[in-house]
Amino acid sequence: MTNGSACDQRPRLLVVANRLPVSAKKTGENSWSLKMSPGGLVSGLLGVTSQFDTKWVGWPGVDVINEVEKAALSKSLTEVNCIPVFLNEVFDQYYNGYCNGILCPILHHMGLPEEDPHDTTKTFETQYDAYKKANRMFLDVIVENYEEGDIVWCHDYHLMFLPKFLKEYNNKIKVGWFLHSPFPSSEVYKTLPSRSELLRAILRADLLGFHTYDFARHFIRTCTRILGVEATHEGVVDQGRVTRVAVFPIGIDPDRFIRTCKLPEATQQINELKERFAGKKVILGVDRLDPIKGIPQKYLAFEKFLEENPNWRHKVVLVQIAVPTRNDVPEYRKLKDQVHGLVGRINGRFGSVSSLPIHHLDCSVDFSYLCALYAIADVMLVTSLRDGMNLVSYEFVACQEAKKGVLVLSEFAGAGQSLGAGALLVNPCDVTEVSSAIKEALIMPADEREKRYRVNFQYVYIHSAKKWGDDFMSVLNDTTPESEMQLRKIPHELPQQDMIQQYSQSNNRLIILGFYGTLTAPMSSQTKEMDLKLNSELKGTLRALCNDPKTTVVVLSRSGRDILDKNFGKYNMWLAAENGRFLKHSNGEWVTNMPQNMNLDWVDGARNVFQYFTDRTPRSFFKASGTSLVWNYEHADVEFGRAQARDMLQYLWGGPISNAPVDVVRGNHSVEVHAIGETKGTEIGRVLGEIVHRKSMTTPFDFVFCSGYFLEKDEDIYTFFESEILSPKLSHEIRSKSPSSNHSLKKKRKVSLNVLDLKKENYFSAAIGQTRTKARYVIHSSHDVVDLLHKLAVAVPTTRLTDSFGDTNNTSSKSWINSVERKELVNGDTGQIDM
């Protein structure tokens, strides 16, 4: 990272992480030496740094109190494009307290730790305050160094408040945030104090990145359950603003490991290790000494393996590198004692003077020696109880060109989704399963090892750290912060008196209504589509509206033709079933109105999921057409393919197709997703064109009321009419029915006419029960719809109310309206599909 004139021409990127990618060491009075840290974010941003003038913001790893020393260190860091954040007095409660003591256990599914009742200086509250203060200190440093147009990329759970603080400072800053750890299920996360505040702070970012679909799905579901926000195929809608949520599996720099294994120093170490363990199979473990890494579980499984396989006791050795972390924390010291106790017990039971089954090292090792260990290992044993990704697995694969060893991998590591095709996946808590996997790995035939290695090496090499950084920045650059397309307004209550007045004065009225949640009788969330019934209190009102020659009523619904026929067959109205794909007048016959342009917003997201699973399932493939995708695993391992198919369906429904107009078909060896229709907004133009043609209408509609309990994607019906206010000349492609068409609209003729004569004062759109909507107004419940429609029916003197048998109803409107029960319609689960 160097400064230069070329950097001035590139956009600036501020990479903000808890720790700078350098090690600082004081070499004299007011002088410092710096050593760049290899790997990690440095490798991940190799491609990004060539495109951006990159500055790093973070804690320098040392506490500096003296202002002169701060200035000297800051100057040295500037030379390597690093900007320090001196946390000093807040560091302990921020980092050791809230980050590692509270957030880390929650995110790794370990639950909320108990608060020490005797330590009043270090409570949840004081640690949370320190956390927010530290995030503010990061903001202050960014503000001091910010230049117009800078992009800010925040990293990990140490900086969950930073997106919010940045947007409060300047709402136009493009902000990305990436989580390097797992994200737990909502049941675990909701135990966290201040859970909502943290979620809303993160959601201020423009793009949120996660390692796997599991973590992204957990985050989205947590937001919907705790905050009550809406999930879409793009991410989360909070307060009318869309925050994109995407999956970016991180990788390593594989070439660095491959090169190192070929260096003379590493070659010598490889030969020494081979000689040291001659005649034995080597099982390797490389982990931080941390509760989430499952080292005790690893040892218990190895002990069981030795118990059940006595012939292997002097033919195999487990080498475990356990890098010390947080020795000052009691839980970590307890873990260290537990691990040492297990090592002593197992070596005592199965070892001898000349042979020990476990070699346990409480230390880190230099990079070349680590690569040598990876290269000579026959088996890599990863038993993480919960891991964001676990790049140790990737590093092992990168170094195994000669040995082609077997990876035994915890299914709870993020790498389990990436490398599961070539690894032996295990539940680390099941010692019997892990023991069996160890044996399988040791006796696996060479051709099987080679096949598994090739699958994983190809993935590791292609999905590098550089690709991860490039992919994230590419998506972030395509995300426009706070754009108009991301905002949905807060509606006002429907002005009923104004609406009734406009209705009375108009000459050609159009009323478009949804069915479910709009005209249906009150129901429970368990009601099935076949049970949907018209609210009995609407029968006379609806007949009166439909019989008015100046009023055209359309019911536009996702329901099938039989449902609409059953409920509206006796009314003089237009029915548009399956979102307008089928159309009829109630006294006519159904005709098809197949869409010209399908809604394919879901395709890219679904294709990413298909590609994700194709990459991870050997011999699987997928095909994409204009409106469908099919993933086939008939040539893959049957059991693994079925497991991948189950996971794929979860990710599809939890993400790109959660609210999409698609059908999903699960075959014997395939998963298919295909479009089933368009939105109400894209269909309404064709529906109107057909109505105008069949009625031979010459007078444009000068009053429109459009209302329903619609899904978000169907709310473009409201904006359709808004656009007609701005551009009133509506051109329709009308399909006329021919005798041989089998009741389908096949012949086309284009007619341009003034179908709508709309102004702001004579167009009324109203969403039912929505707090954020594209509609102009809101109606609180379906009971209010009953009231409103009745008022319209009695607003015109010539209109008479009749019941469902055609009898005149002379009851006064006031007494009739008062008879309506005033309570909310129970709509059930917010995910229920609009009918």
Side-chain angles (χ1 to χ4, degrees):
M1 293 178 291
T2 58
N3 292 317
S5 59
C7 292
D8 299 333
Q9 300 174 7
R10 295 175 294 169
R12 288 216 324 169
L13 171 67
L14 302 182
V15 178
V16 190
N18 173 68
R19 179 74 185 270
L20 288 173
V22 297
S23 297
K25 183 177 180 180
K26 191 173 181 180
T27 56
E29 186 175 354
N30 302 329
S31 64
W32 299 80
S33 67
L34 303 176
K35 182 180 179 181
M36 294 301 297
S37 304
L41 282 180
V42 176
S43 297
L45 299 179
L46 285 176
V48 174
T49 52
S50 64
Q51 304 171 38
F52 293 88
D53 177 13
T54 307
K55 309 292 182 184
W56 300 74
V57 180
W59 180 59
V62 292
D63 289 332
V64 183
I65 307 299
N66 184 279
E67 293 300 325
V68 177
E69 289 185 349
K70 282 185 181 180
L73 178 55
S74 298
K75 183 178 179 181
S76 297
L77 289 169
T78 301
E79 296 174 1
V80 290
N81 283 353
C82 290
I83 304 169
V85 180
F86 297 105
L87 298 172
N88 296 335
E89 72 281 356
V90 303
F91 180 80
D92 181 58
Q93 296 228 36
Y94 149 72
Y95 182 75
N96 294 320
Y98 199 76
C99 290
N100 287 332
I102 297 176
L103 281 179
C104 185
I106 286 286
L107 295 176
H108 288 85
H109 279 249
M110 297 170 65
L112 188 69
E114 291 185 9
E115 189 173 33
D116 186 352
H118 305 294
D119 189 353
T120 58
T121 63
K122 196 172 185 179
T123 64
F124 284 171
E125 185 176 357
T126 60
Q127 293 171 83
Y128 183 65
D129 290 343
Y131 180 81
K132 292 182 71 173
K133 184 175 181 180
N135 275 245
R136 284 283 184 193
M137 294 169 76
F138 274 89
L139 173 72
D140 293 341
V141 172
I142 292 172
V143 170
E144 290 175 9
N145 294 273
Y146 177 76
E147 296 179 6
E148 187 69 27
D150 283 358
I151 299 172
V152 183
W153 188 1
C154 311
H155 289 269
D156 228 357
Y157 56 86
H158 311 87
L159 301 171
M160 294 173 80
F161 269 107
L162 193 54
K164 173 186 176 183
F165 293 160
L166 285 166
K167 288 293 187 176
E168 288 175 346
Y169 163 67
N170 184 342
N171 198 43
K172 295 182 179 179
I173 296 179
K174 190 172 289 188
V175 179
W177 183 84
F178 189 88
L179 182 64
H180 292 268
S181 79
F183 196 91
S185 68
S186 60
E187 293 302 313
V188 175
Y189 180 85
K190 71 181 182 182
T191 63
L192 179 66
S194 303
R195 60 197 185 186
S196 298
E197 191 176 4
L198 283 169
L199 288 177
R200 291 201 183 278
I202 303 170
L203 288 175
R204 292 301 303 275
D206 300 295
L207 174 64
L208 304 179
F210 297 86
H211 282 308
T212 72
Y213 277 99
D214 266 346
F215 304 155
R217 179 167 52 89
H218 283 166
F219 175 78
I220 291 173
R221 189 165 296 177
T222 297
C223 289
T224 58
R225 290 183 176 179
I226 293 178
L227 302 181
V229 296
E230 181 182 0
T232 72
H233 70 281
E234 287 190 315
V236 177
V237 181
D238 182 30
Q239 301 296 313
R241 181 182 179 279
V242 176
T243 300
R244 293 190 66 179
V245 178
V247 177
F248 305 94
I250 198 171
I252 62 171
D253 178 7
D255 287 328
R256 177 170 176 251
F257 289 86
I258 295 170
R259 288 194 306 267
T260 301
C261 287
K262 296 177 180 179
L263 295 176
E265 181 184 2
T267 302
Q268 180 181 348
Q269 292 167 334
I270 289 172
N271 292 332
E272 291 174 354
L273 287 168
K274 285 181 178 179
E275 183 179 349
R276 171 71 181 81
F277 298 117
K280 294 183 178 180
K281 296 282 189 178
V282 178
I283 301 173
L284 178 63
V286 179
D287 306 277
R288 295 194 320 273
L289 189 59
D290 188 293
I292 68 169
K293 295 299 182 179
I295 297 177
Q297 287 77 8
K298 182 184 302 186
Y299 284 157
L300 290 172
F302 186 60
E303 182 179 36
K304 186 172 184 63
F305 168 76
L306 294 176
E307 285 176 350
E308 296 180 345
N309 299 276
N311 57 313
W312 277 100
R313 288 178 185 174
H314 299 288
K315 299 178 182 179
V316 64
V317 60
L318 171 57
V319 178
Q320 176 66 53
I321 307 298
V323 181
T325 56
R326 306 187 69 196
N327 289 324
D328 56 329
V329 178
E331 290 78 7
Y332 284 71
R333 292 198 299 269
K334 183 179 177 181
L335 173 64
K336 185 175 182 179
D337 292 341
Q338 180 188 7
V339 167
H340 286 182
L342 288 171
V343 172
R345 185 179 82 193
I346 296 169
N347 282 342
R349 289 185 64 191
F350 303 108
S352 65
V353 174
S354 59
S355 175
L356 293 176
I358 297 180
H359 292 242
H360 179 96
L361 287 78
D362 280 321
C363 64
S364 58
V365 296
D366 65 50
F367 185 68
S368 64
Y369 192 73
L370 177 64
C371 290
L373 283 169
Y374 284 143
I376 62 98
D378 297 277
V379 178
M380 184 79 201
L381 187 54
V382 178
T383 54
S384 305
L385 304 181
R386 188 69 57 174
D387 239 343
M389 183 53 72
N390 193 283
L391 294 179
V392 163
S393 308
Y394 286 57
E395 295 168 0
F396 168 74
V397 171
C399 296
Q400 279 285 307
E401 182 180 1
K403 196 80 172 185
K404 297 176 179 59
V406 181
L407 174 62
V408 179
L409 179 59
S410 167
E411 64 186 44
F412 300 128
Q417 289 184 14
S418 304
L419 304 180
L424 297 178
L425 292 179
V426 295
N427 175 359
C429 298
D430 187 341
V431 294
T432 301
E433 182 179 336
V434 179
S435 171
S436 299
I438 292 173
K439 183 176 181 179
E440 182 181 354
L442 291 172
I443 65 174
M444 185 177 292
D447 59 339
E448 179 70 12
R449 287 191 286 110
E450 167 108 18
K451 181 177 66 174
R452 289 176 177 269
Y453 164 75
R454 291 299 174 196
V455 168
N456 279 349
F457 180 79
Q458 183 180 24
Y459 179 84
V460 169
Y461 200 81
I462 293 174
H463 296 83
S464 64
K466 179 180 180 299
K467 184 179 187 302
W468 166 78
D470 291 345
D471 287 350
F472 187 94
M473 290 307 301
S474 176
V475 175
L476 180 59
N477 276 325
D478 289 339
T479 305
T480 304
E482 299 286 4
S483 69
E484 292 182 3
M485 293 299 293
Q486 291 177 314
L487 295 174
R488 288 196 293 163
K489 57 186 175 132
I490 303 175
H492 302 289
E493 285 195 32
L494 183 68
Q496 293 194 15
Q497 292 304 317
D498 291 345
M499 177 177 166
I500 293 170
Q501 182 178 358
Q502 289 292 329
Y503 179 87
S504 302
Q505 296 173 355
S506 59
N507 294 310
N508 195 7
R509 314 172 187 110
L510 175 64
I511 298 177
I512 301 175
L513 301 168
F515 183 33
Y516 172 77
T518 309
L519 305 177
T520 48
M523 63 191 77
S524 71
S525 60
Q526 303 301 316
T527 301
K528 298 180 181 179
E529 183 177 358
M530 66 174 56
D531 299 321
L532 294 180
K533 295 180 180 179
L534 176 66
N535 191 328
S536 60
E537 295 174 344
L538 273 172
K539 292 180 178 180
T541 299
L542 206 54
R543 188 175 298 278
L545 290 171
C546 293
N547 289 340
D548 184 344
K550 293 184 177 181
T551 302
T552 300
V553 179
V554 180
V555 173
L556 178 59
S557 173
R558 286 186 173 275
S559 297
R561 288 166 284 177
D562 55 339
I563 299 294
L564 298 191
D565 273 336
K566 179 180 177 181
N567 285 279
F568 301 102
K570 297 181 180 180
Y571 296 91
N572 181 26
M573 63 164 56
W574 292 86
L575 305 178
E578 298 181 27
N579 248 8
R581 183 168 285 189
F582 293 91
L583 179 68
K584 67 170 287 188
H585 189 269
S586 54
N587 60 9
E589 296 182 357
W590 287 103
V591 292
T592 60
N593 190 22
M594 300 301 291
Q596 295 288 315
N597 301 302
M598 301 296 293
N599 175 8
L600 301 176
D601 292 343
W602 53 273
V603 169
D604 287 341
R607 182 183 286 112
N608 290 339
V609 175
F610 275 56
Q611 186 64 59
Y612 181 86
F613 281 92
T614 300
D615 289 344
R616 290 154 182 80
T617 310
R619 297 175 295 281
S620 71
F621 60 93
F622 80 92
K623 295 181 179 179
S625 66
T627 59
S628 69
L629 299 103
V630 180
W631 181 67
N632 189 293
Y633 60 92
E634 63 180 323
H635 302 301
D637 178 83
V638 176
E639 292 302 320
F640 185 69
R642 287 173 181 168
Q644 293 289 78
R646 287 194 297 269
D647 288 345
M648 173 185 280
L649 290 171
Q650 292 181 18
Y651 301 144
L652 286 169
W653 286 121
I657 67 169
S658 60
N659 287 320
V662 299
D663 270 336
V664 178
V665 180
R666 174 79 183 271
N668 288 334
H669 299 95
S670 65
V671 174
E672 179 181 358
V673 179
H674 60 259
I676 60 173
E678 292 190 311
T679 66
K680 291 178 170 63
T682 55
E683 281 289 347
I684 191 62
R686 284 189 290 272
V687 169
L688 285 181
E690 181 62 17
I691 292 173
V692 169
H693 172 63
R694 292 177 63 182
K695 289 182 67 173
S696 300
M697 194 180 86
T698 58
T699 304
F701 291 115
D702 58 354
F703 172 92
V704 173
F705 172 51
C706 181
S707 182
Y709 179 66
F710 298 145
L711 295 175
E712 181 203 3
K713 62 178 177 290
D714 288 330
E715 286 201 337
D716 56 358
I717 191 173
Y718 302 135
T719 55
F720 170 87
F721 289 103
E722 293 282 358
S723 66
E724 293 306 321
I725 294 174
L726 300 175
S727 180
K729 191 78 171 177
L730 178 63
S731 176
H732 285 296
E733 190 174 77
I734 299 175
R735 306 175 184 182
S736 61
K737 188 174 72 173
S738 66
S740 61
S741 66
N742 191 25
H743 307 306
S744 63
L745 307 175
K746 292 181 178 178
K747 291 186 176 180
K748 303 175 184 178
R749 57 193 182 92
K750 203 161 188 178
V751 178
S752 181
L753 53 93
N754 286 329
V755 175
L756 300 170
D757 180 18
L758 285 186
K759 304 176 180 63
K760 288 185 178 181
E761 60 268 20
N762 62 3
Y763 170 55
F764 298 86
S765 58
I768 300 171
Q770 304 293 321
T771 56
R772 296 271 173 175
T773 177
K774 296 175 183 176
R776 287 186 168 190
Y777 306 108
V778 65
I779 299 176
H780 294 297
S781 73
S782 64
H783 292 283
D784 295 318
V785 176
V786 173
D787 285 1
L788 179 61
L789 293 179
H790 182 78
K791 291 176 182 176
L792 294 179
V794 301
V796 181
T798 57
T799 303
R800 297 167 63 85
L801 290 179
T802 58
D803 61 19
S804 58
F805 299 100
D807 296 330
T808 303
N809 186 345
N810 292 317
T811 308
S812 70
S813 63
K814 183 175 181 180
S815 61
W816 189 92
I817 292 170
N818 289 337
S819 71
V820 178
E821 186 178 2
R822 308 280 184 171
K823 65 179 181 180
E824 294 287 334
L825 170 66
V826 178
N827 286 319
D829 192 291
T830 56
Q832 179 134 14
I833 296 178
D834 163 64
M835 301 297 181

